[in-house]
Amino acid sequence: MKVFKFGGASLESIERIHKVGAIVQSFPDEKLLIVISAMGKTTNELEKVAQNFFLRKREIAAQLLYNIEQQHLEVAAALLGTREHPLFRQLQQFFTEAEWTLGEKPMRSYDYYYDQLVSLGELLSTAIISAWFNQAGIPNTWVDVRDVFRTDDNFRDANIDWAFTQRQVTEKVLPLFNNVNVVIAQGFIGSTDQNESVTLGREGSDYSAAVFANMLDAESQTIWKDVEGLKNADPKLFPNTVNIPEISYSEVIEMAYYGAQVIHPKTIKPLQNKQIPLYVKCFLNKDLPGTLIREDADHAQLPPIIVLKKNQVLITVTSRDYAFITEDKISDIYDIFHSLKIKINLMQNAAISFSCCIDNNPEKIEQLIKALHHDFKLAYNEGLELLTIRYAKDGLLEELCNGRTVLLEQRSAVTVQRILK
Ligand code: ASP
Ligand code: MG
């Protein structure tokens, strides 16, 4: 059994959806659990529906939802060549449920309504792809993953109840493969024990696929993207990026930690636990080598890995009484960051000061200043970038920092980080 994940970009146009079909057809004898995310930018559009609903701008919300409905009906009709198909009744039901939600007075949290509305994207995309696959000669079974993935009620970042979900996968999903080779499920969503829809965090479909791979003891997972594979830097920010043929689980976790937007960070652990290899491949050309992620990856050819985090703020906290910033003070400072849910991207301390780099979030910074100002002076410097290079080659750091002011630098055996203005 293999697990495949297709993201929004692979469902962005009819032409691309046909490519997805061709890829699946090229594995005729394989049992495939296919996880699919919402089409194109649907999740962003649904977020706007949720926002407007919560602001009680019901008409705008309804109009945005209507636009999403029309787009999906058009795609479905173009794929199937008709509007006379049971799929259209199924889609109608999904929209009717969403419209009911829009008719409610928002009495619960925003995150709750967000999940009830935003989960629609994956239900629509999977229903459409499943119906079209069946018509196009790829017999498959559609699964409502909300009957399988049980979570807590931490809406928008729900945590999976591992034991319950494993039981559902074994008892409900696995037997489906007795009748078909292809099972299609939604990424990104799940359900509480009260049958409320939840989401697992933006871009969470990679993680959903990894949970399936773990629980089905899959031989591999493949994430099909519109790029060649993992690159050593973001091609939108750097010229001359190269593909990484092979890389270890832990290196990918490091990349994600430093801010590379590669694969959803939660994805690796379920795979690593069962030593399931993860392939990142290009659905536009499946013959490109892509990237293999596994435990004992061959790093001999690993290029320098470059991660740039923009819109950073360097905060310097100094004690008011010139007292040393020792362990107890650092612990107090950390507690404050923790309680405000501010992630520290880099930190350094000196005798009477503590410096750290965080994402720019003016609201949070204001709360931070309030919380610290009794005991500390706080200075900050905005509009910065945090550059991280692992396995830097001679001259690369200088080349990337050319003409920039370096505010802080930190080095370890393989990693160098600089805060740049
Ligand atoms: N559709 C969701 C998102 O855009 C989940 C995913 O794509 O993985 O965040
Ligand atoms: Mg997506």
Side-chain angles (χ1 to χ4, degrees):
M1 165 116 42
K2 289 183 162 74
V3 172
F4 283 180
K5 181 255 172 171
F6 291 98
S10 63
L11 311 172
E12 208 170 68
S13 64
I14 301 292
E15 195 196 342
R16 286 188 165 196
I17 296 173
H18 284 153
K19 286 214 190 314
V20 169
I23 287 174
V24 174
Q25 263 165 334
S26 70
F27 293 85
D29 306 317
E30 214 58 75
K31 299 224 179 279
L32 300 177
L33 184 293
I34 302 182
V35 170
I36 293 180
S37 30
M39 291 178 162
K41 300 270 174 257
T42 306
T43 304
N44 295 356
E45 300 299 317
L46 285 165
E47 282 187 337
K48 288 183 202 146
V49 175
Q51 284 155 6
N52 280 287
F53 162 72
F54 205 69
L55 293 170
R56 309 211 177 200
K57 296 184 184 166
R58 200 157 297 160
E59 265 158 44
I60 301 178
Q63 179 63 46
L64 291 168
L65 183 66
Y66 177 79
N67 297 346
I68 294 168
E69 178 172 354
Q70 293 312 308
Q71 286 157 13
H72 282 81
L73 294 179
E74 253 167 55
V75 171
L79 285 168
L80 295 172
T82 171
R83 290 193 186 229
E84 299 299 318
H85 189 285
L87 167 68
F88 289 87
R89 221 171 311 125
Q90 191 185 6
L91 298 179
Q92 210 48 63
Q93 265 166 16
F94 292 141
F95 283 110
T96 305
E97 275 169 40
E99 280 156 17
W100 282 341
T101 304
L102 293 190
E104 283 178 37
K105 233 195 228 134
M107 308 281 275
R108 298 185 58 176
S109 70
Y110 173 65
D111 290 354
Y112 165 79
Y113 290 107
Y114 176 104
D115 280 4
Q116 306 322 300
L117 291 164
V118 171
S119 54
L120 180 65
E122 272 68 13
L123 293 167
L124 298 172
S125 64
T126 50
I128 293 172
I129 298 301
S130 169
W132 175 63
F133 272 14
N134 273 324
Q135 196 195 60
I138 309 171
N140 72 89
T141 303
W142 178 86
V143 168
D144 186 334
V145 86
R146 295 173 302 176
D147 298 330
V148 181
F149 279 23
R150 165 69 61 81
T151 70
D152 62 8
D153 61 359
N154 190 25
F155 295 106
R156 289 184 74 183
D157 192 17
N159 301 293
I160 289 180
D161 174 339
W162 209 263
F164 186 94
T165 302
Q166 173 72 72
R167 226 170 21 249
Q168 297 298 93
V169 167
T170 309
E171 289 170 11
K172 295 203 168 152
V173 179
L174 200 53
L176 299 174
F177 286 100
N178 294 332
N179 300 320
V180 281
N181 274 349
V182 176
V183 172
I184 294 183
Q186 305 76 38
F188 179 55
I189 69 173
S191 161
T192 67
D193 60 359
Q194 302 296 309
N195 281 328
E196 301 147 321
S197 299
V198 298
T199 65
L200 307 174
R202 284 303 307 264
E203 306 302 330
S205 299
D206 294 349
Y207 174 57
S208 301
V211 173
F212 268 122
N214 176 297
M215 294 186 176
L216 290 164
D217 284 308
E219 64 174 89
S220 67
Q221 173 175 334
T222 306
I223 297 179
W224 295 91
K225 290 172 100 59
D226 55 358
V227 292
E228 199 183 336
L230 292 195
K231 302 241 175 198
N232 70 321
D234 184 346
K236 284 182 226 116
L237 302 177
F238 296 94
N240 313 322
T241 56
V242 292
N243 193 55
I244 300 175
E246 225 182 285
I247 189 165
S248 66
Y249 296 125
S250 52
E251 192 60 43
V252 172
I253 290 175
E254 293 286 337
M255 285 172 81
Y257 172 79
Y258 290 119
Q261 269 150 13
V262 279
I263 288 169
H264 193 284
K266 284 203 281 192
T267 309
I268 300 296
K269 190 163 170 269
L271 300 175
Q272 200 258 345
N273 282 352
K274 291 217 171 154
Q275 296 291 306
I276 298 167
L278 171 60
Y279 295 90
V280 180
K281 300 269 287 175
C282 181
F283 64 79
L284 297 169
N285 180 358
K286 76 179 183 45
D287 299 324
L288 290 173
T291 300
L292 166 59
I293 302 162
R294 62 186 178 107
E295 185 78 49
D296 300 310
D298 178 4
H299 278 180
Q301 287 173 35
L302 203 60
I305 290 171
I306 305 166
V307 183
L308 187 68
K309 251 175 147 357
K310 295 193 172 212
N311 203 13
Q312 299 292 293
V313 181
L314 179 63
I315 306 240
T316 302
V317 180
T318 315
S319 55
R320 286 201 180 275
D321 52 5
Y322 288 92
F324 285 143
I325 301 227
T326 46
E327 292 72 10
D328 54 337
K329 291 237 163 94
I330 292 179
S331 153
D332 293 345
I333 295 171
Y334 256 89
D335 273 348
I336 290 169
F337 277 83
H338 177 67
S339 67
L340 293 173
K341 291 193 178 144
I342 300 176
K343 187 179 166 287
I344 295 177
N345 297 327
L346 176 149
M347 65 141 280
Q348 191 154 297
N349 63 308
I352 59 164
S353 71
F354 169 93
S355 301
C356 67
C357 182
I358 61 174
D359 294 347
N360 192 1
N361 180 335
E363 217 175 287
K364 292 254 156 133
I365 292 174
E366 201 169 300
Q367 291 170 351
L368 189 68
I369 294 173
K370 272 203 193 112
L372 285 166
H373 111 283
H374 183 73
D375 297 318
F376 304 96
K377 274 187 294 204
L378 199 134
Y380 67 96
N381 206 331
E382 298 176 285
L384 308 178
E385 294 182 345
L386 173 60
L387 173 71
T388 304
I389 311 180
R390 285 170 66 78
Y391 314 102
K393 294 213 168 78
D394 283 349
L396 178 63
L397 182 65
E398 267 43 52
E399 184 191 322
L400 295 179
C401 298
N402 191 11
R404 310 283 302 270
T405 309
V406 180
L407 297 185
L408 198 152
E409 177 177 301
Q410 225 167 62
R411 273 178 193 268
S412 68
V414 292
T415 311
V416 50
Q417 295 191 281
R418 278 184 173 178
I419 299 175
L420 303 172
K421 195 167 182 95

